[in-house]
Amino acid sequence: MGTRFEILAGTVDLLEGVVHTATAPIPLTPNEVALIGALHDRSPEPCSPEELLTDALGYAASAKSRTVTVTMQRLRKKLEPDPAEPRTIVTVRGEGYALRYADTPIRPVRAVGLPPGRDLDAIDAGFAAGACPLVLVGPGGVGKTTLARSWAEREGADWVELFDVTDAGALRRRLVAGLDLERAADADAAIRDRLAGRPVVLDNAEDLDGEARATLAGWLSDASAAILVTSQTPLGLPRERRVVLGELDRDTARAVLRESRSRSGLAPLPASAEDQVLDQLGGMPLALVITAPLADFLDDLDEALDVPSVDTAPHHATLSAGVGRTFDNLAPEALATARAIAVFSGPASLHAIAQVADQPLPLALKSVAELRGCGLARADGPRIDLLPIARTLLRHDADAVRPARERLVAWLVSLDPSHEQLKPLRPEIENALPHARGLVRLELLARHVELLYAFGPVDDIPSETARWLEGVPLAPECEVHRARAMLLVGQREAARDLLEHVLDRVTDRPTFARGASLLATAQSWASMPEAVDWARRALAALDADTPLHVRVETGTYAGYALARADDPAGFDAMEDAIRAAGDRLPARALTAALSKARLRSAPPGELERARHLLERVGGVLGEVQRAIDTADLAVILLDAHQVEEAWEMLREPRRVLPTGHRMMLGTILTNAAIRLLDHPERTLELMDEVGPPIPEDLRRFVRLLAHRDRAGVAAMEERFRILGEAFLAGDPLPESTDLRETRKGLETVRRRGL
């Protein structure tokens, strides 16, 4: 409801606490203002005396007082021509008091047009709470001036433009001219009297210096009129209250965009193009008005930042000028914080912002508060985000945000590559890759690949690796990362060939250790002596300066290769990796624990550790990796002859198989199927689900064993035939390098008595 309205006696002004009549103003006491204001808010509905006592006057609900009755009697004496026959404050029998207006049910002094998506409620509430002045704060182009014009039109307020006014002398001259006080003998006294007596708008006050603000505060010290100030930053005046004007909501912004195009004789943009404009420019009215007629012709929406505005105000000459002035008025630390937030892909935590801004946490918190106070930033739960237009404008100056981008990349690389830590930062890692260089890009790429493997899509690992290795002038080190990607998607032979070709030319010690351990693992399916040699070289390359995640990964892969060769040092290396990973890298600890348990009959303690680690990290793993690790644990349980628990555990991996990492999951499920040959119906059920890329001859071999088809086995390739015939005949199983895992599974079944 408005703060001014007409009754029979005249015009009530709640902010001034007076009723203007044809003869003389009638002052109202605070209680009288509170009661008539409450009736105005509820009109034409009545209010009971109890409601007025508690809601309007603030008494406790249990209070007993005649204050309402006494105050109503005084009001009627002041306002009614005949208090005995009230026509303004009437009594509704059995319900209480109601307010009646002069002519219409509820009518403000002047009806005004409002900008889309805006209202004057917050301004009215600020003045009702005693603001003098009320400062409408927000970035350039958000619509402060437009909304202030609506308020000024309704209130009949004077208007003074303060753009580019900085010092006290210029402020005085501008107010004298704007308020038509040129003939006054004492300019300061005349300004003070005018500000005390009638509503005024002071537009674009953000450039006032400290002395000018102090002078304005002096003029306003005794003011009782409504003084509305627009500014891109708070002014810090003694009685100042602020209303931060935010961007339009998305639906309203879309309507403004369409209306602006309609006024230019243009059809609406396609919905996808509208979404692109709104994503990049948000609900900033000036940005939408400028961009609307140009959107069909711009190659990049950033081009709209410097297009001349249809607004002729000098501070709105372009979008860059309109919004950029807000940044110009920020403290240097707040501007640095804004640039730090701008390089994130979306809302960021305060801790992350402080890291990228290179600020202590208290300073970052203070800077964020300043950005929010100016309407440039907003809270999104516990995270902080910039307005889209602010982010776009800051990124437009690539040189200015480059230091923040470099600090973001360095911070991401410094983090432990745990899934818990990396998962929420996945968009940041992908967006930071183009800005990383050299070995830093390789480390960032390793985290990107880790996330692809954990959360999918796994099939993108080779193409993403090739994409981000392009242009990195570290050929041997790049090839190690390419080989790592190959191994993760099951391209073991290609990875082995590549590593053999480049590894001796790698000069970066951690990269060599990682590559040597990968080659050791790949060689363990082809040449065990070479696998052992590369595993030992990998472990020897580790030192005190090796990053934790490289040390854990190297220990796991090299240890796995040594353990496959029955070298006890391999189990020791994997145990060291598990301990080193600890609480910082629990998913890596799980990988090492599963690898260790898989290679020998796991004692109960190791099985329980693997179970515990899987339970701990399962909630943060991606569906595919969780399925792989669960299937791995199920195979280990089958080796420990815990068949029913393992079979139940295989449900989730089987569900994921059609859409997950078919090579890795298919391999593990095939190993499980072999270990279930004493339950042939289960073996066949699994093999019905496993398809390419698992080799056809291996799938056929397992099926033939499940059917006990000696003739079929005898017709197979020699390596399958010899192993299969020995198994079906109950003879000792021959050694087999390339069917090592198959042979181990058959031995498990043998131990259970088949």
Side-chain angles (χ1 to χ4, degrees), residues 707-724:
H707 287 296
R708 307 294 189 269
D709 187 342
R710 295 175 181 270
V713 169
M716 290 204 71
E717 180 188 344
E718 182 178 3
R719 60 186 181 131
F720 289 111
R721 178 180 60 78
I722 294 174
L723 184 61

Side-chain angles (χ1 to χ4, degrees), residues 578-600:
I578 296 169
R579 290 173 180 169
D583 292 334
R584 288 174 62 183
L585 299 173
R588 295 284 179 88
L590 173 61
T591 300
L594 290 172
S595 298
K596 184 181 179 187
R598 191 188 308 127
L599 288 172
R600 64 180 180 189

Side-chain angles (χ1 to χ4, degrees), residues 9-357:
T11 300
V12 178
D13 191 321
L14 295 176
L15 296 180
E16 293 183 18
V18 68
V19 180
H20 296 283
T21 71
T23 54
I26 301 173
L28 301 176
T29 68
N31 277 0
E32 291 168 349
V33 170
L35 289 182
I36 197 170
L39 293 176
H40 174 52
D41 287 341
R42 284 283 293 272
S43 183
E45 300 300 320
C47 286
S48 70
E50 293 77 17
E51 289 176 313
L52 291 169
L53 189 67
T54 56
D55 297 347
L57 301 182
Y59 280 66
S62 59
K64 303 295 183 182
S65 174
R66 297 187 68 253
T67 301
V68 171
T69 303
V70 172
T71 305
M72 287 300 184
Q73 290 172 352
R74 287 204 308 264
L75 272 172
R76 283 171 169 169
K77 288 180 181 179
K78 290 182 177 183
L79 305 180
E80 302 283 1
D82 181 1
E85 296 289 333
R87 297 170 57 192
T88 298
I89 299 175
V90 300
T91 300
V92 180
R93 187 178 298 277
E95 295 187 56
Y97 300 97
L99 183 66
R100 297 291 181 259
Y101 300 89
D103 299 313
T104 57
I106 298 179
R107 181 168 63 87
V109 173
R110 185 181 288 118
V112 298
L114 287 167
R118 305 295 194 196
D119 59 52
L120 299 174
D121 293 351
I123 295 176
D124 290 341
F127 284 126
C132 189
L134 188 137
V135 183
L136 194 57
V137 179
V142 80
K144 303 183 298 298
T145 296
T146 305
L147 187 59
R149 287 194 186 282
S150 295
W151 180 84
E153 180 186 351
R154 188 190 73 179
E155 300 295 329
D158 293 325
W159 189 280
V160 181
E161 173 59 62
L162 298 183
F163 176 70
D164 265 353
V165 172
T166 56
D167 59 83
L171 175 64
R172 183 178 290 105
R173 290 190 296 274
R174 192 66 64 88
L175 264 70
V176 165
L179 298 176
D180 195 20
L181 301 174
E182 287 89 345
R183 298 181 182 179
D186 184 341
D188 283 25
I191 292 171
R192 185 181 295 108
D193 289 345
R194 178 60 62 86
L195 295 179
R198 58 181 299 169
V200 175
V201 174
L202 305 178
D203 194 31
N204 297 302
E206 58 269 356
D207 290 332
L208 297 179
D209 62 20
E211 183 183 357
R213 296 183 187 197
T215 300
L216 178 59
W219 291 334
L220 294 174
S221 59
D222 297 323
S224 58
I227 309 299
L228 179 64
V229 181
T230 72
S231 175
Q232 295 187 11
T233 57
L235 299 181
L237 303 181
R239 296 167 61 197
E240 172 180 322
R241 284 179 178 265
R242 299 162 196 157
V243 172
V244 177
L245 193 61
E247 61 178 352
L248 302 173
D249 65 66
R250 197 171 181 91
D251 288 342
T252 304
R254 193 183 299 274
V256 169
L257 183 63
R258 292 176 178 176
E259 175 62 25
S260 298
R261 286 182 63 82
S262 176
R263 286 200 301 269
S264 300
L266 298 171
L269 291 168
S272 59
E274 286 183 343
D275 288 336
Q276 184 180 359
V277 171
L278 297 177
D279 289 343
Q280 196 157 338
L281 303 181
M284 188 68 68
L286 180 64
L288 298 171
V289 170
I290 291 176
T291 306
L294 305 173
D296 301 299
F297 313 107
L298 298 176
D299 294 327
D300 190 323
L301 286 175
D302 281 9
E303 297 173 13
L305 295 175
D306 297 316
V307 171
S309 169
V310 294
D311 191 321
T312 58
H315 52 290
H316 289 168
T318 65
L319 262 179
S320 294
V323 184
R325 280 175 59 83
T326 310
F327 291 112
D328 294 340
N329 286 293
L330 293 174
E333 298 83 3
L335 180 58
T337 301
R339 287 171 175 158
I341 301 173
V343 300
F344 284 91
S345 62
S349 69
L350 186 62
H351 171 74
I353 293 167
Q355 293 292 321
V356 176

Side-chain angles (χ1 to χ4, degrees), residues 718-741:
E718 182 178 3
R719 60 186 181 131
F720 289 111
R721 178 180 60 78
I722 294 174
L723 184 61
E725 287 179 341
F727 175 75
L728 292 175
D731 296 335
L733 299 179
E735 293 294 332
S736 175
T737 300
D738 57 348
L739 292 176
R740 188 184 182 96
E741 192 62 36

Side-chain angles (χ1 to χ4, degrees), residues 281-574:
L281 303 181
M284 188 68 68
L286 180 64
L288 298 171
V289 170
I290 291 176
T291 306
L294 305 173
D296 301 299
F297 313 107
L298 298 176
D299 294 327
D300 190 323
L301 286 175
D302 281 9
E303 297 173 13
L305 295 175
D306 297 316
V307 171
S309 169
V310 294
D311 191 321
T312 58
H315 52 290
H316 289 168
T318 65
L319 262 179
S320 294
V323 184
R325 280 175 59 83
T326 310
F327 291 112
D328 294 340
N329 286 293
L330 293 174
E333 298 83 3
L335 180 58
T337 301
R339 287 171 175 158
I341 301 173
V343 300
F344 284 91
S345 62
S349 69
L350 186 62
H351 171 74
I353 293 167
Q355 293 292 321
V356 176
D358 194 23
Q359 294 173 343
L361 203 58
L363 180 57
L365 182 60
K366 179 182 177 183
S367 298
V368 166
E370 182 174 345
L371 294 173
R372 293 186 65 187
C374 298
L376 289 169
R378 59 196 176 193
D380 184 359
R383 303 164 82 82
I384 308 298
D385 200 6
L386 289 177
L387 297 189
I389 185 65
R391 185 187 303 278
T392 298
L393 183 63
L394 288 170
R395 288 180 177 178
H396 189 55
D397 190 348
D399 290 337
V401 298
R402 183 172 292 113
R405 285 198 184 279
E406 292 171 351
R407 286 192 294 268
L408 174 60
V409 170
W411 176 65
L412 291 171
V413 169
S414 74
L415 298 174
D416 287 337
S418 67
H419 293 121
E420 297 98 323
Q421 200 158 30
L422 293 185
K423 183 180 180 182
L425 293 171
R426 189 175 188 179
E428 310 308 336
I429 291 172
E430 293 184 15
N431 287 328
L433 272 165
H435 307 284
R437 300 289 180 268
L439 286 171
V440 174
R441 178 180 284 190
L442 297 185
E443 280 301 315
L444 204 58
L445 174 60
R447 287 155 173 75
H448 180 43
V449 168
E450 187 85 18
L451 291 167
L452 286 171
Y453 185 76
F455 303 105
V458 175
D459 292 343
D460 285 357
I461 289 177
S463 60
E464 282 292 286
T465 300
R467 174 188 178 194
W468 295 115
L469 289 180
E470 187 175 348
V472 179
L474 295 163
E477 284 78 6
C478 287
E479 298 311 299
V480 170
H481 284 267
R482 197 186 309 276
R484 183 172 183 263
M486 291 174 177
L487 273 176
L488 288 176
V489 296
Q491 299 173 10
R492 198 161 50 223
E493 293 180 4
R496 183 186 67 215
D497 293 343
L498 180 58
L499 288 168
E500 286 178 333
H501 179 66
V502 303
L503 205 50
D504 281 329
R505 294 186 284 119
V506 172
T507 57
D508 179 65
R509 193 179 181 97
T511 304
F512 176 83
R514 174 183 270 165
S517 70
L518 294 171
L519 180 53
T521 298
Q523 284 284 21
S524 68
W525 275 273
S527 171
M528 197 56 75
E530 290 190 38
V532 170
D533 178 57
W534 280 110
R536 289 173 177 165
R537 291 178 66 180
L539 294 173
L542 300 177
D543 58 27
D545 295 327
T546 304
L548 174 63
H549 64 281
V550 176
R551 190 161 70 250
V552 171
E553 183 178 320
T554 299
T556 301
Y557 282 117
Y560 182 74
L562 289 171
R564 291 196 77 203
D566 298 322
D567 186 332
F571 294 101
D572 293 340
M574 285 189 282

Side-chain angles (χ1 to χ4, degrees), residues 624-636:
V624 175
Q625 184 162 359
R626 186 171 61 248
I628 289 172
D629 290 341
T630 301
D632 252 345
L633 183 56
V635 170
I636 295 168

